Amino acid sequence: MNIEQVILTGLTNGSIYALIAVGFVIIYNVTGIINFAQGEFTMLGAMIVISFVDFGFNMITAAILTIIIVMGISTLMYGLAIYPLKNTKNSLTTIMVTMGLGIVITGISLLIWGTEARPLAPFTGNRPITFLNASISHQDLWIIGSCAVLVLFIYLMFEKTYFGMAFRACMSNKEASRLMGISTEVMAMLAFALSAGIGALAGIVMAPVTFAEYDMGMMLSLKGFVAAVLGGLTGAPAAIIGGFVLGILESVGTGFISSGYNDFIAFAALIIIMLIRPSGILGHKSIKKV
Amino acid sequence: MLEVKQLNVSYGHVKAIHDVSFHVKNGEIFSLIGANGAGKSTLLLAISGVLSPQGGEILYNNHPVQEKNVRYMVNQGVTLVPEGRQIFYDMKVKENLMLGAYRHKKKINILEELEKVYELFPVLKTMESRIAGTLSGGEQQMVAIGRGLMSNPTLLLLDEPSLGLAPLVIKEIFLQLEKLRKTGVTIILVEQNAKAALKISDRAAVLVRGKIEKIDLAENLFQNQNLHEMYVGTAVNK
Ligand SMILES: Nc1ncnc2c1ncn2[C@@H]1O[C@H](COP(=O)(O)OP(=O)(O)O)[C@@H](O)[C@H]1O
Ligand SMILES: [Mg+2]
C-alpha cells in the first residue's frame, strides 16, 4: 500500500469520524452531556435511508426524509429522557441514560430491520477514479464532499448568523446566556436535533461502503468520542481535526501493520491522549475566566 | 418603579434574605451595601428573575413580578450585570455586546445600541474584534455593563462592578454610571466598596445578614462614622 492511498482512506474514514465527533461536541458544549447514543443517529441514518430507497424513493428524497426523521427521533429523545435530567448534577447519570437510549434504539432497530447487513448502491458510478498513485471510489468522494459541505454549513451558521452566535454563547457560558434571556433548554433541544442531522448524514453517505447493520452504532459512538476527545472537546473545528487524525492513524495502522488493528488503534490513541494530553491534541485555549 | 415587600429568599434550608422591604424611585441610583455574604447578590438574583423568592412581593411598575423568569424581566427592561462579570470569554467583544440585545433584537436597532455603548466606553470600540477573555479586568467589566445596556434597559442591576479593579478604573466606571443615570436609566448598585458607591448614589440600604439594617439618603450614610462597623462588625462573627 502506498502513502497516497493510506491518506485518502484516512480522509474518507476521518470524514465520518469528524461528522460524528462534531455531533458529540455540539451536544457536549451546549448541555454538558456526553451523548453515547450519537453513533445510533448514524446507524439510523444508514438503515432508514436504505429502507426508503428499497421502497422506491430516489436517493435525494430518501436522504432528506431520513435526516428529518432522525432529527425528530433525537428531539423526542431529548424531550423524554434528557430534558427531565436538567437539574441532575451527576454526569455519570446522564452518561448512563444516553447509553441506555443507545441500547433502546439498537433494540428497536433489531426488531424493525433484523440482524442482516443491508447494502446500498453507491450514489453514482462504480468505477474508481485514479488520482496520483491512489484510487478513490465515487462514494468516497461523496463522503469527503459531504463532510466539506457540512463543515462550511456549520461555519456559516455558527459564525455568520445571530442565531449561531447565540448558540455559541450557550456553548461558552450557560449562566450568562440565561441572563441574556436565551432559552438554554431550547438551545439544548436544537443541539440534539442538529447533532442528529449531522450523524444521520454520515450514516447516509457511508451506507454504500460499509453495509448497514442494526448494531453498528455503539462502535461509531466510541470512534466519534475518541475523535472528539483527540480534538479536546472544545468546539466543532477541533472535533473535525480530531476525526481526520483518527482516520489517518487507523489507515496508517491498517495499511502498514494489519487490518486487525483498526479498533485497537482508536482506543490506544484515546488512552495515550488521556495520559499525555488530556486537553486534546490542539491543547487548551486557556482563556482565564477571572 | 420598583418596590420590594417583605421578601424572603432561601437556598434550601439556608435563608439568605429575611423580610426585606425597600423601594427604588425612577431615575435614581440606589445602592445596596453590605459585607460578603450579606445577601446582596441573592437580592439582585431575585429581582432579575433568576431565583424565585419563598415569600413576599416584588412590584415592578406596580405589577407583581416575583414569579416571573429572567426572560420576562429582560423583556420588561430589567437587566442584571452579574457578579464576576460572566461575559462570554471566548467570544469577541462585539459579539458579547450584540448578545445583550437577544430579547430585543426585533424591536431595536442593534447597531444603534452598539454605538451608544461605544460612546459610553470608547475603549471598547477599538477592541471590538478582540476575544473578551484577553481584555483587562476593567475592560471586561465595561463589556459586562455594555452588554447589559444593549437591551436598552430601564432598570439596570449591577453586582459589584468594582470587584478586583484598580481605584482609577473604578473611578472611570463609576463616572460612566453617573452619565448613564442622566440618560434616565434607574440603577441598583451592589457594592462592598461603600464609599465609592455612596458618592454616586441618591439613596442606599445597608444589608446585614439578609436583613436591612438602615435605609437613608446616600449622603447621610456617607457621613455616618459607624457605617463600616455597622455592616462589617456584625457580619464577621456569623
Ligand atoms: N448557591 C447557593 N447555595 C447555598 N447558599 C448560598 C448560595 N449562594 C449564596 N448562598 C448563601 O447566601 C448568603 C448570601 O449570599 P450572597 O447573596 O452571595 O451574599 P453577598 O452577595 O452579599 O456576598 C450567604 O450566606 C451565602 O453563603
Ligand atoms: Mg455577592
Side-chain angles (χ1 to χ4, degrees):
Chain A
M1 212 183 234
N2 60 48
I3 186 78
E4 290 92 339
Q5 190 68 56
V6 165
I7 289 176
L8 272 182
T9 309
L11 283 180
T12 310
N13 291 337
S15 294
I16 299 293
Y17 298 152
L19 292 179
I20 301 173
V22 166
F24 256 113
V25 298
I26 289 176
I27 290 181
Y28 177 70
N29 282 305
V30 173
T31 66
I33 292 171
I34 299 275
N35 175 28
F36 276 107
Q38 187 65 32
E40 308 303 336
F41 299 144
T42 302
M43 180 276 291
L44 286 172
M47 289 307 232
I48 294 174
V49 84
I50 290 171
S51 293
F52 274 125
V53 170
D54 287 351
F55 270 129
F57 285 87
N58 68 43
M59 194 59 223
I60 293 176
T61 317
I64 292 171
L65 287 175
T66 300
I67 290 174
I68 293 172
I69 290 173
V70 177
M71 288 173 88
I73 292 171
S74 171
T75 308
L76 202 67
M77 185 174 120
Y78 173 79
L80 295 179
I82 307 290
Y83 177 78
L85 296 175
K86 68 184 168 122
N87 294 323
T88 310
K89 294 277 180 292
N90 188 344
S91 58
L92 197 58
T93 311
T94 54
I95 286 179
M96 296 307 280
V97 168
T98 64
M99 283 186 163
L101 284 166
I103 292 168
V104 169
I105 293 173
T106 307
I108 294 174
S109 301
L110 174 63
L111 289 177
I112 297 176
W113 289 292
T115 55
E116 100 197 67
R118 298 158 74 88
L120 181 67
F123 299 172
T124 52
N126 267 325
R127 191 169 307 146
I129 297 163
T130 312
F131 173 74
L132 297 174
N133 285 322
S135 78
I136 184 163
S137 70
H138 281 213
Q139 195 59 38
D140 288 350
L141 286 176
W142 274 105
I143 292 176
I144 296 172
S146 319
C147 180
V149 168
L150 203 92
V151 167
L152 185 69
F153 168 78
I154 290 175
Y155 170 78
L156 292 176
M157 191 192 77
F158 277 11
E159 299 295 325
K160 301 291 172 198
T161 69
Y162 192 90
F163 167 78
M165 194 165 79
F167 204 86
R168 277 187 292 130
C170 283
M171 294 168 79
S172 165
N173 188 337
K174 226 172 20 172
E175 299 305 318
S177 303
R178 283 207 194 100
L179 288 179
M180 303 300 105
I182 298 172
S183 168
T184 51
E185 284 88 23
V186 170
M187 288 296 184
M189 190 188 78
L190 291 174
F192 267 84
L194 180 65
S195 296
I198 295 171
L201 179 75
I204 292 168
V205 293
M206 75 185 278
V209 293
T210 58
F211 283 94
E213 285 178 89
Y214 79 100
D215 62 351
M216 68 200 261
M218 179 56 111
M219 189 50 93
L220 290 170
S221 287
L222 291 172
K223 295 285 182 70
F225 174 68
V226 172
V229 171
L230 286 177
L233 283 170
T234 48
I240 290 161
I241 293 171
F244 284 119
V245 168
L246 179 61
I248 299 224
L249 276 181
E250 279 192 1
S251 73
V252 167
T254 52
F256 294 113
I257 310 170
S258 152
S259 62
Y261 286 116
N262 210 340
D263 297 337
F264 167 79
I265 288 165
F267 300 110
L270 177 66
I271 291 167
I272 292 169
I273 206 85
M274 289 302 225
L275 288 176
I276 61 173
R277 272 205 94 130
S279 55
I281 27 182
L282 294 184
H284 208 71
K285 275 187 285 171
S286 75
I287 290 163
K288 223 178 178 173
K289 307 201 173 184
V290 193
Chain B
M1 76 147 0
L2 184 83
E3 191 162 3
V4 174
K5 288 182 180 169
Q6 302 280 309
L7 198 71
N8 283 279
V9 187
S10 321
Y11 295 99
H13 298 295
V14 185
K15 207 162 192 190
I17 295 293
H18 303 257
D19 292 332
V20 162
S21 303
F22 64 94
H23 69 277
V24 178
K25 295 178 201 156
N26 211 344
E28 75 176 344
I29 298 184
F30 184 88
S31 278
L32 280 165
I33 55 184
N36 211 348
K40 308 180 295 297
S41 297
T42 305
L43 197 48
L44 289 195
L45 290 171
I47 296 170
S48 61
V50 176
L51 292 176
S52 36
Q54 276 66 36
E57 261 192 314
I58 303 172
L59 300 175
Y60 178 63
N61 292 332
N62 301 318
H63 295 290
V65 293
Q66 64 276 3
E67 303 294 335
K68 304 293 186 187
N69 63 16
V70 186
R71 262 169 280 153
Y72 179 90
M73 296 310 286
V74 173
N75 285 343
Q76 297 299 309
V78 179
T79 302
L80 171 66
V81 178
E83 190 171 8
R85 309 193 256 279
Q86 297 282 342
I87 56 176
F88 302 107
Y89 298 94
D90 51 4
M91 297 176 74
K92 291 181 184 146
V93 168
K94 189 176 177 182
E95 292 176 330
N96 267 273
L97 296 175
M98 285 171 75
L99 283 162
Y102 185 79
R103 296 302 308 177
H104 300 263
K105 55 188 180 290
K106 297 203 180 91
K107 278 175 276 170
I108 62 169
N109 182 335
I110 291 190
L111 293 181
E112 247 169 50
E113 295 302 321
L114 208 53
E115 278 314 310
K116 278 201 242 164
V117 169
Y118 288 153
E119 232 165 79
L120 208 59
F121 301 116
V123 65
L124 293 185
K125 182 158 190 161
T126 67
M127 305 183 163
E128 64 173 19
S129 300
R130 279 186 46 192
I131 299 296
T134 66
L135 269 52
S136 74
E139 291 154 359
Q140 289 188 9
Q141 186 62 59
M142 291 176 200
V143 172
I145 297 173
R147 184 183 65 180
L149 291 173
M150 284 295 291
S151 59
N152 205 357
T154 40
L155 175 60
L156 189 65
L157 311 171
L158 291 169
D159 198 346
E160 304 215 34
S162 77
L163 201 68
L165 302 183
L168 220 61
V169 182
I170 298 176
K171 216 170 158 184
E172 163 69 19
I173 286 180
F174 278 30
L175 206 67
Q176 300 312 318
L177 294 182
E178 281 190 284
K179 266 200 213 160
L180 198 61
R181 182 256 298 272
K182 293 202 184 98
T183 68
V185 183
T186 307
I187 297 174
I188 301 183
L189 176 62
V190 154
E191 271 296 340
Q192 284 192 58
N193 190 338
K195 295 275 168 188
L198 291 173
K199 258 191 223 164
I200 63 164
S201 302
D202 301 290
R203 294 185 310 126
V206 179
L207 205 60
V208 177
R209 280 191 276 166
K211 291 187 178 140
I212 293 214
E213 183 83 13
K214 202 168 174 63
I215 300 186
D216 204 343
L217 292 176
E219 53 199 294
N220 294 347
L221 283 170
F222 192 81
Q223 269 145 24
N224 189 329
Q225 298 299 319
N226 303 324
L227 179 64
H228 201 63
E229 291 94 77
M230 193 193 309
Y231 73 83
V232 174
T234 41
V236 167
N237 51 18
K238 86 176 177 135

